[in-house]
């Protein structure tokens, strides 16, 4: 990911000239507003309005055709009705334009896919890149360029926004203005017919002015590429994402547990976490966090103190701190020494440090400056509840002063000031001065919390490339047999063969074609044994009464054989019975599920979690996009609520965690290397004590529809 990310679209953000096709003299038209915003925004390059009527607009000579412009164009903004767009793009190609942003609506978003495809084809064959269509435009502080039809004034700053929703993007511009958040860029991505988040991040991530990137995403088209780009991006800058569609309606219908457990939002969420992206639930949260990342130093260590004038808000902050995994420092000797001068006798130097309701601005200054000089404290949460004893005229200077001191010391401080009119006025002044202050305790704590979360991600991330070795040729030949048979799934013996080719241990087993063979195999394997029907027509063997467990002698094997055949025929009289599988009855252990599937948006993903028959009810599973390494697989296990079971509870010994990690890696390798498999699910994987390994007990593998796969 080195050279491929060097800003190939710099001239989209920093064009030396702009042509506006559809520029208009008529106030209120989009072609007028965009030209007006470009001019009034202070863009310094050449501006070329294009309109067949010619003449002048806002003092600029109008070109009747883009072909008449005597310069190659870096950025063409198109604001003509949809029926003229294709022609315009063709003219741009003749002019060898570099980028075209198509404001116009009326393409794939309303089903006009063909026209959009034609536009992309022309652009591709002429080396042009297209932003949009169906967008409000692009603002880039680096070029003082407001080529949007949104607000005429956008404050420049350090937050870059990429938004798939135009309307929400315009609303965000409004909100950033009210909250005094400056932007380095805002880009409307619209239908993403060509340029997408991947391209835009390539410019924004290395760009000096951009300190934090906020993305609003509705849908992901090329997820594998996005994973790659986001991992690269978050190494350098924090990325915050808001995605709509958290509800279950977006969940995919699928034939396996892995599929039904993997609602699209769960996968999105897991993959964002894996890439170090911070996910916000709403705009408020996102902007709070953006402000904090833009203006506060990053924490160097984990020790945090809460300083408050009220016990209640202190407790609220403590609750949210726990939620965000913030370490509240509690070395009493250090805290007492640091805060004893600023805390009255009836206050508390225990974290939260309570400087009590009588505190004035001097007390606050003293208490908030204490962490600056204390080498054991890395971050501070400062809480202020409005009181009549506080000299409110000094609230702003006190916060500005203490914020500066913390900044100079390279330590983050997050303020929550709660109260009435005076507090709200102070908030407005402080935000103008780029001091991140909040009027909700939760906002102040969560902002520091995500800053810690990001630092933890950077510290723990591992770029180690690992690939489990599997016999892919053997796997493909097993699948080819099933495809020949026109089956979209594998029989249990075929799945077992795939496990063996991938180096995953299954119980000893053989397929008996008759009752004598069943007895012979049971004697060879050793009692107790398990017997299962093998039939392409019976996928859910237990439902069909096709499974018998814990058979301890020859007679039981004989009875079970007859019962399984009878039950299976009753369940599906048309079923072809390929045999009865006789397997070793495995001992009890911790039951996990390990799975993998081809996700429509993100490509190959793996899953692991608590297994067994209640897997969908318990829903203790985690996902990752591939590739992963064993470090990431371990992180997956640690995220499972039931992880302590693997560590051993109630005197039990630690389980074979390395074996589980190895299995996750091998299952991941199968789905990644064999593109004919759509779903793999091992449930349960029975895990034994450390070094005693595990057994993949039941394996289901689905393959592509035979018509698609060949
Ligand atoms: N080359 C140059 N100029 C042309 C051409 C051409 N081939 N054809 C027409 N024009 C001129 C017109 O003469 C007109 O100029 P005039 O005012 O001097 O007569 C100008 O281009 C605009 O053409 P109109 O026919 O007046 O079109 P109008 O401005 O009404 O609409 C627009 C064009 C805005 C692109 C419209 O078709 C459209 O798509 N609107 C939706 C845009 C949108 O919402 N995008 C998504 C944003 S995201 C969000 O939701 C906020």
């Amino acid at each position: 990911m080195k050279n491929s990310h060097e800003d190939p679209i710099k001239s989209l953000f920093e064009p030396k000239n702009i042509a506006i096709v559809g520029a208009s003299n008529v106030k209120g038209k989009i072609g007028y507003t965009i030209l007006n915003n470009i001019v009034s925004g202070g863009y310094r390059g050449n501006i070329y309005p294009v309109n067949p009527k010619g003449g002048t607009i806002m003092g600029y000579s109008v070109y009747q055709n883009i072909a008449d412009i005597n310069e190659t164009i870096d950025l063409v903004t198109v604001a003509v009705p949809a029926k003229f767009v294709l022609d315009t793009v063709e003219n741009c190609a003749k002019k060898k334009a570099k980028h075209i942003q198509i404001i116009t609506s009326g393409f794939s978003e309303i089903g006009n896919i063909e026209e959009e495809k034609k536009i992309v084809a022309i652009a591709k064959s002429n080396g042009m890149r297209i932003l949009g269509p169906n967008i409000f435009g692009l603002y880039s502080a680096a070029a003082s360029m407001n080529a949007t039809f949104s607000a005429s004034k956008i404050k420049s700053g350090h937050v870059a926004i990429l938004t798939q929703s135009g309307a929400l993007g315009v609303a965000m511009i409004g909100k950033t203005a009210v909250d005094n958040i400056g932007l380095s860029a805002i880009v409307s991505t619209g239908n993403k017919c060509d340029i997408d988040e991947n391209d835009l991040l390539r410019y924004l991530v290395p760009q000096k002015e951009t300190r934090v990137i906020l993305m609003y995403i509705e849908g992901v088209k090329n997820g594998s590429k996005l994973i790659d780009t986001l991992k690269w991006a978050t190494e350098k800058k924090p990325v915050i994402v808001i995605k709509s569609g958290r509800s279950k309606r977006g969940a995919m219908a699928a034939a396996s547990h892995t599929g039904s457990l993997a609602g699209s939002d769960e996968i999105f969420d897991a993959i964002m976490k894996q890439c170090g992206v911070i996910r916000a639930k709403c705009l408020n949260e996102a902007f709070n966090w953006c402000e904090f990342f833009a203006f506060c130093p990053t924490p160097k260590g984990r020790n945090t103190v809460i300083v408050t004038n009220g016990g209640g808000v202190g407790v609220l902050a403590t609750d949210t701190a726990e939620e965000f995994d913030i370490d509240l420092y509690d070395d009493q000797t250090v805290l007492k020494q640091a805060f004893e001068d600023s805390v009255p006798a009836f206050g508390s130097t225990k974290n939260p440090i309570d400087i009590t309701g009588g505190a004035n601005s001097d007390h606050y200054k003293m208490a908030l400056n204490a962490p600056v000089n204390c080498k054991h404290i890395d971050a501070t949460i400062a809480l202020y509840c409005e009181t009549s004893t506080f000299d409110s005229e000094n609230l702003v200077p006190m916060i500005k002063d203490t914020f500066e001191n913390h900044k100079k010391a390279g330590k983050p401080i997050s303020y929550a000031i709660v109260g009435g009119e005076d507090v709200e006025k102070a908030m407005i002044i402080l935000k103008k001065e780029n001091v991140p202050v909040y009027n909700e305790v939760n906002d102040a704590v969560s902002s520091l919390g995500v800053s810690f979360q990001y630092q933890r991600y950077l510290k723990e991330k591992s770029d180690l490339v690992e690939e489990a070795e599997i016999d892919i040729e053997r796997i493909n030949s097993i699948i080819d047999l099933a495809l020949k048979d026109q089956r979209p799934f594998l029989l249990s013996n075929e799945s077992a063969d795939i496990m063996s080719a991938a180096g995953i241990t299954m119980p000893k087993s053989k397929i008996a074609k008759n009752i004598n063979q069943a007895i012979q195999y049971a004697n060879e394997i050793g009692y107790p044994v398990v017997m299962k029907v093998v039939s392409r027509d019976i996928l859910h063997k237990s439902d069909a009464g096709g499974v018998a467990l814990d058979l301890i002698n020859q007679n039981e094997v004989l009875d079970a054989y007859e019962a399984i055949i009878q039950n299976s025929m009753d369940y599906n009289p048309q079923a072809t019975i390929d045999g009865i599988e006789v397997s070793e009855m495995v001992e009890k252990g911790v039951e996990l599920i390990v799975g993998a599937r081809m996700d429509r948006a993100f490509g190959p993903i793996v899953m692991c979690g608590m297994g067994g028959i209640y897997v969908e009810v318990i829903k203790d599973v985690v996902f990752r996009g591939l590739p992963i390494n064993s470090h990431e697989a371990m992180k997956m296990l640690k995220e499972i609520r039931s992880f302590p079971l693997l560590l051993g509870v109630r005197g039990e010994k630690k389980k074979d965690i390395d074996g589980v990690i190895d299995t996750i890696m091998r299952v991941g390798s199968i789905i990644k290397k064999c593109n004919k498999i759509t779903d793999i699910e091992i449930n349960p994987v029975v895990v034994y004590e450390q070094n005693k390994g595990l057994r993949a007990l039941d394996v289901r593998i689905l393959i592509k529809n035979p018509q698609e796969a060949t």
Side-chain angles (χ1 to χ4, degrees):
M1 296 300 293
K2 281 153 219 138
N3 296 331
S4 61
H5 285 291
E6 279 162 13
D7 53 17
I9 55 167
K10 187 173 178 195
S11 53
L12 172 71
F13 287 90
E14 298 173 41
K16 65 178 189 309
N17 54 31
I18 312 176
I20 304 99
V21 179
S24 171
N25 247 327
V26 182
K27 269 193 180 172
K29 280 202 182 185
I30 286 182
Y32 173 90
T33 310
I34 292 184
L35 179 60
N36 190 39
N37 285 352
I38 292 171
V39 174
S40 64
Y43 173 67
R44 293 178 294 269
N46 293 337
I47 300 172
Y48 300 112
V50 180
N51 186 312
K53 291 177 185 163
T56 61
I57 306 177
M58 294 172 217
Y60 288 87
S61 302
V62 175
Y63 291 76
Q64 287 179 301
N65 192 304
I66 193 162
D68 303 337
I69 301 169
N70 207 7
E71 208 181 351
T72 40
I73 308 294
D74 278 351
L75 174 60
V76 181
T77 294
V78 177
V80 293
K83 60 183 178 205
F84 302 127
V85 172
L86 189 62
D87 260 3
T88 304
V89 172
E90 276 170 350
N91 287 336
C92 290
K94 285 178 205 147
K95 200 69 221 146
K96 298 204 182 323
K98 289 186 187 155
H99 298 96
I100 308 175
Q101 64 157 348
I102 303 176
I103 303 289
T104 314
S105 302
F107 295 92
S108 64
E109 83 281 6
I110 56 155
N112 189 4
I113 297 165
E114 281 315 306
E115 189 84 346
E116 198 170 288
K117 278 189 180 158
K118 282 184 202 162
I119 289 169
V120 176
I122 295 170
K124 284 230 158 98
S125 56
N126 288 281
M128 303 187 295
R129 300 296 312 267
I130 306 240
L131 181 65
N134 189 32
I135 57 172
F136 65 76
L138 160 76
Y139 164 78
S140 165
S144 303
M145 176 182 72
N146 179 6
T148 75
F149 66 88
S150 68
S152 58
K153 270 210 173 110
I154 300 177
K155 186 183 166 191
S156 70
H158 306 291
V159 179
I161 301 178
L162 307 182
T163 172
Q164 205 174 342
S165 158
L168 196 66
V170 174
M172 285 199 251
I173 293 176
K175 184 156 172 54
T176 53
V178 171
D179 286 354
N180 243 293
I181 297 172
L183 300 180
S184 57
I186 180 161
V187 190
S188 167
T189 54
N191 297 2
K192 296 197 272 194
C193 78
D194 174 24
I195 292 175
D196 62 12
E197 293 88 0
N198 295 292
D199 303 298
L200 299 167
L201 286 171
R202 278 174 210 172
Y203 169 81
L204 292 168
V205 170
Q207 201 233 11
K208 223 173 82 221
E209 285 308 308
T210 301
R211 293 184 189 163
V212 50
I213 296 159
L214 169 61
M215 296 165 69
Y216 170 80
I217 296 182
E218 279 171 356
V220 175
K221 275 186 186 165
N222 186 349
S224 296
K225 193 173 168 197
L226 188 63
I227 291 177
D228 209 13
T229 310
L230 286 175
K231 280 184 181 168
W232 165 81
T234 54
E235 236 173 55
K236 295 162 179 68
K237 275 175 196 169
V239 177
I240 295 169
V241 70
I242 309 179
K243 182 184 170 287
S244 49
R246 297 179 87 92
S247 65
K248 288 287 158 276
R249 273 177 57 195
M252 280 175 276
S256 69
H257 286 310
T258 313
S260 55
L261 286 165
S264 55
D265 195 65
E266 274 94 345
I267 293 180
F268 181 86
D269 208 59
I271 287 175
M272 289 305 111
K273 216 184 274 171
Q274 178 185 357
C275 295
V277 172
I278 298 149
R279 186 168 181 190
K281 287 196 281 296
C282 60
L283 286 181
N284 263 345
E285 207 168 59
F287 283 121
N288 287 338
W289 297 349
C290 281
E291 269 182 279
F292 199 81
F293 276 118
F295 299 114
C296 247
T298 48
K300 306 281 181 297
R302 294 180 57 95
N303 294 343
T304 305
V305 290
I306 299 171
V307 175
T308 179
N309 67 344
V313 283
V315 177
L316 278 180
T318 308
D319 289 347
T320 313
E322 193 173 295
E323 199 184 307
F324 280 84
D325 209 8
I326 296 176
D327 276 356
L328 294 183
Y329 185 60
D330 60 5
D331 185 321
Q332 280 316 305
T333 321
V334 173
L335 290 176
K336 198 156 188 271
Q337 202 177 15
F339 290 99
E340 66 187 346
D341 292 344
S342 43
V343 174
F346 47 90
S348 170
T349 55
K350 283 189 186 142
N351 203 358
I353 316 293
D354 190 350
I355 59 172
T356 77
N360 61 24
S361 61
D362 285 336
H363 298 126
Y364 260 104
K365 266 193 192 169
M366 213 191 301
L368 293 181
N369 284 332
V372 173
N373 304 314
C374 176
K375 66 174 194 278
H376 301 287
I377 301 174
D378 305 301
T380 305
I381 296 163
L383 309 176
Y384 166 72
C385 280
E386 195 170 37
T387 62
S388 49
T389 50
F390 189 90
D391 41 332
S392 58
E393 70 282 5
N394 287 327
L395 181 61
V396 169
M398 179 278 285
I399 291 179
K400 269 172 64 179
D401 188 60
T402 51
F403 178 67
E404 272 315 307
N405 290 343
H406 279 256
K407 213 166 147 182
K408 270 189 215 136
K411 295 184 180 189
I413 178 166
S414 192
Y415 299 86
I417 55 176
V418 186
E421 208 177 316
D422 284 347
V423 161
E424 289 304 316
K425 278 186 192 151
M427 292 264 305
I428 294 170
I429 301 169
L430 289 164
K431 277 182 181 280
K432 266 194 190 140
E433 309 254 352
N434 297 334
V435 180
V437 346
Y438 309 95
N439 54 8
E440 275 281 354
V441 174
N442 188 61
D443 294 344
V445 182
S446 73
S447 299
L448 179 64
V450 292
S451 185
F452 276 122
Q453 182 185 319
Y454 179 54
Q455 289 310 310
R456 266 198 304 275
Y457 167 80
L458 290 177
K459 217 168 137 200
E460 288 169 10
K461 100 187 262 292
S462 153
D463 294 326
L464 189 70
V465 179
E466 281 176 288
E467 191 76 75
E469 267 191 39
I470 57 170
D471 185 347
I472 192 66
E473 273 173 32
R474 204 172 128 205
I475 291 174
N476 278 330
S477 65
I478 298 164
I479 290 165
D480 288 344
L481 283 179
L483 288 171
K484 236 191 213 162
D485 223 5
Q486 296 293 305
R487 265 185 287 126
F489 61 91
L490 301 188
L491 298 175
S492 60
N493 57 314
E494 294 167 331
S495 297
D497 285 348
I498 289 196
M499 290 297 105
S500 142
I504 297 171
T505 319
M506 296 272 303
K508 279 180 253 164
S509 96
K510 285 188 161 181
I511 310 282
K513 297 286 183 189
N514 56 49
I515 205 156
N516 289 335
Q517 263 185 357
I519 292 168
Q520 183 200 330
Y521 292 158
N523 288 337
E524 281 170 19
I525 288 167
Y527 294 97
V529 293
V530 174
M531 289 168 70
K532 289 179 200 166
V533 65
V534 180
S535 169
R536 68 204 62 210
D537 304 311
I538 302 174
L539 208 54
H540 300 282
K541 296 184 264 296
S542 299
D543 294 355
V547 180
L549 304 172
D550 208 7
L551 308 169
I552 56 167
N553 57 36
Q554 223 164 284
N555 284 343
E556 287 195 6
V557 168
L558 208 137
D559 291 345
Y561 190 95
E562 283 168 355
I564 289 175
I565 298 278
Q566 190 57 52
N567 293 344
S568 303
M569 293 317 294
D570 291 348
Y571 180 76
N572 180 356
Q574 269 75 49
T576 304
I577 312 277
D578 296 295
I580 303 288
E581 187 183 356
V582 183
S583 334
E584 157 196 4
M585 170 95 190
V586 300
E587 286 169 40
K588 281 200 167 22
V590 173
E591 293 194 349
L592 296 187
I593 180 170
V594 176
R597 72 189 314 256
M598 282 306 292
D599 182 73
R600 268 190 293 185
F602 288 103
I605 57 163
V606 284
M607 176 196 78
C608 75
M610 203 53 202
I613 53 172
Y614 300 121
V615 67
E616 271 131 343
V617 180
I618 297 169
K619 261 203 152 190
D620 185 15
V621 291
V622 291
F623 301 89
R624 288 293 189 278
L626 291 174
I628 59 163
N629 55 26
S630 47
H631 175 81
E632 196 65 41
M634 182 67 201
K635 274 168 83 179
M636 285 177 85
L637 288 180
K638 283 185 177 168
E639 278 175 31
I640 302 166
R641 290 195 308 280
S642 321
F643 179 63
L645 296 183
L646 290 174
L647 295 176
V649 287
R650 309 180 72 152
E652 288 169 355
K653 288 198 175 141
K654 190 176 167 190
K655 303 295 179 287
D656 201 330
I657 291 175
D658 289 342
V660 181
I661 290 173
D662 183 62
T663 306
I664 296 170
M665 295 295 292
R666 287 178 189 280
V667 168
S669 242
I670 303 173
I671 199 89
K672 197 163 156 245
K673 289 184 178 161
C674 180
N675 63 8
K676 290 174 190 161
I677 294 181
T678 61
D679 295 71
I680 307 169
E681 182 180 291
I682 318 175
N683 183 24
V685 178
V686 182
V687 189
Y688 302 113
E689 285 168 14
Q690 201 164 10
N691 301 324
K692 292 202 175 155
L694 44 78
R695 292 278 191 286
L697 227 58
D698 201 353
V699 184
R700 289 175 63 199
I701 297 180
L702 303 181
I703 51 181
K704 272 189 183 158
N705 199 306
Q707 277 77 38
E708 277 175 55
T710 44

